[in-house]
């Protein structure tokens, strides 16, 4: 007790001699909750001048699987860091990349590789924890002590957007409606041979003012389990439903598709007068895999020749050469006669797509349009981008498990070029749809 009294009686000036406490590092990510297709601002303060730090992002998908990314930075002379102007010197990406931590998210070391981080439930935000660690630690290693952290919520549905589950005749899916009275431009949204209902692009389109119908066409509810053959009447019914909806502008609707969905988009605008604008992302100019029927007409599906598939030492399948050649005259019955379309096309391709030769296929479709004196198309062709060109900051996945084959398949692309293609094309896609749908 005598010791405590002595300390309490010590002159205050003795306390002044202790060195001033260093201010704690702080991390600000703003907005803390915002649309998943928008950039965030990430700033760190309170570091020492030139201090090396590793920034990490960690997220979990709907099944609890962990994804992470990291990048190496150095604080400026004021002990500050701004990801919008300061360059990463290492980690999962280099250079000035404001959203690099988000698009480079990949399965954590203990998780199965080749998984995509795609939200299944668009109603819940994706939570991403951003951490600042002392020192530079390479990807996959144990990072240094945490000096600051913050949580960001990425929203796939804006407040007021309505999601309506659809059972309309034979049509299944989800209709996303923006807040307000409308009417809104209507868009049908389709993905590829992974099947099922994929909603995150539709919910983002509704957030941007479109009435968006996320349309599955197999492996969902009472739809066929596998994609053996397809009837265009199903897609026609979906287009008519959307066109007649009281919240949809009309007179025509648009369609956006990726992979097999892109090729269906081309068939829809070719044969269905309701469809006046088509966005084809990484599609083929011919019908593939499953025969497509419409009334008495059939477009046979081009096949994949598994003998032309190569497998790397790590077991990754490269199917780039496997599809029957659409330019071969023997395969002409499968060609989609795009010249019959009255509407407008937007072709979006990655020049490093390894799933198939989507840049070649876009050129084939454009050549066909030009031969018939048509200029009703635009082409966005991105060097270094791979197959799956999604809305901005969707994590890049060079190799993904194929649902049909059950093996990892090479999608191609380089992460930074692919991320830039996603950001640029998303704005252009919206401009195109607004222009042709009002």
């Amino acid at each position: 007790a005598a010791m405590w009294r002595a300390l309490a009686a010590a002159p205050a000036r003795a306390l002044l001699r202790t060195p001033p406490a260093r201010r704690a590092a702080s991390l600000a990510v703003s907005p803390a909750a915002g649309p998943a297709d928008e950039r965030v601002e990430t700033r760190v303060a309170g570091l020492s001048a030139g201090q090396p730090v590793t920034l990490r992002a960690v997220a979990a998908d709907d099944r609890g699987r962990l994804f992470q990314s990291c990048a190496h930075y150095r604080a400026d002379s004021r002990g500050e860091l701004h990801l919008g102007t300061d360059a990463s010197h290492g980690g999962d990406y280099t250079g000035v990349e404001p959203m690099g931590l988000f698009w480079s998210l990949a399965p954590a070391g203990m998780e199965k590789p080749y998984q995509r981080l795609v939200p299944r439930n668009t109603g819940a935000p994706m939570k991403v924890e951003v951490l600042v660690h002392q020192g530079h630690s390479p990807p996959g290693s144990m990072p240094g002590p945490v000096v600051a952290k913050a949580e960001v919520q990425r929203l796939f549905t804006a407040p007021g957007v309505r999601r309506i589950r659809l059972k309309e005749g034979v049509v299944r899916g989800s209709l996303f409606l923006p807040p307000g009275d409308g009417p809104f431009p209507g868009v049908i949204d389709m993905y590829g041979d992974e099947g099922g209902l994929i909603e995150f692009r539709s919910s983002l389109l509704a957030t941007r003012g479109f009435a968006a119908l996320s349309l599955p066409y197999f492996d969902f509810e009472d739809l066929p389990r596998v994609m053996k053959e397809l009837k265009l009447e199903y897609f026609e019914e979906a287009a008519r439903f959307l066109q007649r909806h009281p919240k949809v502008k009309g007179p025509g609707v648009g369609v956006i598709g990726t992979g097999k969905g892109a090729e269906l988009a081309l068939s829809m605008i070719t044969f269905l007068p309701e469809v006046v604008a088509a966005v084809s992302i990484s599609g083929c100019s011919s019908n593939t895999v499953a025969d497509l029927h419409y009334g008495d007409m059939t477009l046979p599906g081009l096949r994949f020749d598994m003998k032309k598939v190569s497998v790397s030492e790590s077991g990754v399948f490269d199917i780039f050469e496997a599809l029957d050649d659409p330019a071969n005259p023997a395969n002409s019955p499968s060609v989609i006669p795009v010249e019959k379309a009255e509407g407008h096309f937007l072709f979006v391709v990655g020049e490093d797509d390894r799933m198939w030769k989507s840049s070649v296929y876009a050129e084939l479709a454009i050549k066909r349009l030009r031969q018939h004196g048509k200029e009703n198309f635009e082409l966005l062709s991105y060097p270094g981008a791979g197959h799956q060109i999604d809305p901005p900051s969707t994590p890049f996945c060079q190799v993904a498990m194929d649902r049909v084959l059950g093996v990892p398949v090479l999608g191609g692309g380089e992460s930074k070029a692919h991320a830039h293609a996603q950001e640029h094309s998303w704005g252009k896609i919206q401009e195109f749809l607004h222009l042709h749908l009002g």
Side-chain angles (χ1 to χ4, degrees):
M3 185 179 78
W4 290 117
R5 277 198 297 276
L7 273 175
R13 66 176 181 274
L15 297 175
L16 296 176
R17 286 200 293 272
T18 57
R22 272 212 41 236
R23 62 191 177 117
S26 65
L27 168 66
V29 186
S30 62
D37 58 353
E38 274 183 18
R39 284 186 175 191
V40 294
E41 288 248 328
T42 306
R43 294 175 184 271
V44 186
L47 302 170
S48 51
Q51 183 178 341
V53 287
T54 298
L55 265 69
R56 276 175 74 232
V58 182
D61 69 5
D62 312 52
R63 297 174 190 163
R65 296 179 295 202
L66 280 181
F67 292 75
Q68 60 184 18
S69 60
C70 76
H72 301 159
Y73 289 91
R74 278 188 190 280
D76 64 15
S77 56
R78 297 190 305 276
E80 293 176 0
L81 192 54
H82 179 213
L83 266 57
T85 51
D86 294 325
S88 161
H89 304 293
D92 291 319
Y93 61 90
T94 56
V96 177
E97 293 294 335
M99 296 302 291
L101 287 171
F102 292 83
W103 53 249
S104 59
L105 282 163
M110 69 285 236
E111 300 290 355
K112 279 185 184 161
Y114 314 135
Q115 305 296 322
R116 283 188 195 284
L117 178 54
V118 172
R120 298 257 169 245
N121 171 17
T122 56
M126 183 183 287
K127 294 175 179 171
V128 182
E129 189 170 36
V130 182
L131 305 108
V132 183
H133 297 268
Q134 283 180 23
H136 287 166
S137 43
S141 69
M142 199 65 188
V146 175
V147 296
K149 62 181 181 177
E151 187 185 81
V152 193
Q153 296 194 2
R154 308 288 282 159
L155 309 174
F156 288 88
T157 310
V161 167
R162 285 167 55 210
R163 173 181 179 267
I164 301 155
R165 282 301 298 278
L166 216 60
K167 273 200 165 174
E168 192 68 35
V170 295
V171 178
R172 301 290 173 264
S174 298
L175 176 63
F176 290 87
L177 294 174
D181 295 336
F184 309 104
V187 182
I188 292 171
D189 176 26
M190 298 178 295
Y191 272 88
D193 60 9
E194 59 268 54
L197 179 66
I198 300 173
E199 298 178 314
F200 75 103
R201 184 165 61 195
S202 301
S203 64
L204 285 172
L205 283 167
T207 295
R208 298 282 162 232
F210 295 91
L213 168 56
S214 182
L215 186 68
Y217 47 96
F218 74 103
D219 195 23
F220 180 71
E221 291 184 352
D222 54 357
L223 295 175
R225 291 290 298 155
V226 292
M227 191 172 57
K228 276 211 180 80
E229 50 182 3
L230 294 167
K231 289 187 163 61
L232 199 61
E233 282 83 356
Y234 173 79
F235 302 91
E236 182 173 52
E237 199 168 318
R240 286 178 177 168
F241 163 79
L242 189 62
Q243 185 194 34
R244 291 175 189 153
H245 194 283
K247 291 263 186 183
V248 172
K249 235 183 205 164
V253 297
V255 57
I256 178 172
T258 298
K260 177 67 187 176
E263 168 201 310
L264 285 164
L266 295 183
S267 291
M268 286 169 76
I269 193 173
T270 296
F271 297 110
L272 309 179
E274 295 83 0
V275 178
V276 298
V279 180
S280 162
I281 302 172
S282 311
C284 185
S285 50
S286 290
N287 185 54
T288 67
V289 183
D291 293 357
L292 180 67
H293 305 284
Y294 186 44
D296 299 336
M297 180 209 74
T298 297
L299 290 184
L302 295 182
R303 302 290 181 220
F304 281 94
D305 179 354
M306 295 314 279
K307 292 195 288 291
K308 292 183 180 169
V309 173
S310 61
V311 185
S312 73
E313 282 181 15
S314 58
V316 173
F317 283 58
D318 185 342
I319 63 173
F320 186 63
E321 296 288 349
L323 185 69
D324 293 344
D325 179 7
N328 179 341
N331 295 324
S332 62
S334 300
V335 174
I336 302 163
V338 286
E339 71 280 359
K340 293 183 175 171
E342 294 297 324
H344 288 80
F345 297 88
L346 175 63
F347 298 97
V348 181
V349 294
E351 292 173 20
D352 194 26
D353 183 350
R354 296 292 304 175
M355 194 71 78
W356 59 13
K357 303 173 184 180
S358 55
S359 359
V360 174
Y361 305 154
E363 290 300 340
L364 284 173
I366 286 169
K367 184 178 164 193
R368 196 173 172 103
L369 289 168
R370 285 204 166 119
Q371 280 170 345
H372 290 84
K374 297 213 158 185
E375 289 293 331
N376 55 342
F377 61 86
E378 292 172 61
L379 171 66
L380 297 174
S381 186
Y382 296 101
H387 180 72
Q388 195 85 14
I389 299 174
D390 272 325
S393 304
T394 302
F396 171 68
C397 191
Q398 190 183 46
V399 175
M401 287 305 286
D402 186 276
R403 204 194 65 86
V404 182
L405 300 172
V407 295
V409 173
L410 183 62
E414 180 276 314
S415 59
K416 192 190 291 197
H418 191 88
H420 293 177
Q422 291 193 148
E423 185 154 2
H424 182 265
S425 62
W426 185 237
K428 290 291 183 189
I429 287 166
Q430 292 174 63
E431 280 174 27
F432 170 82
L433 291 171
H434 275 302
L435 178 65
H436 298 294
L437 303 176

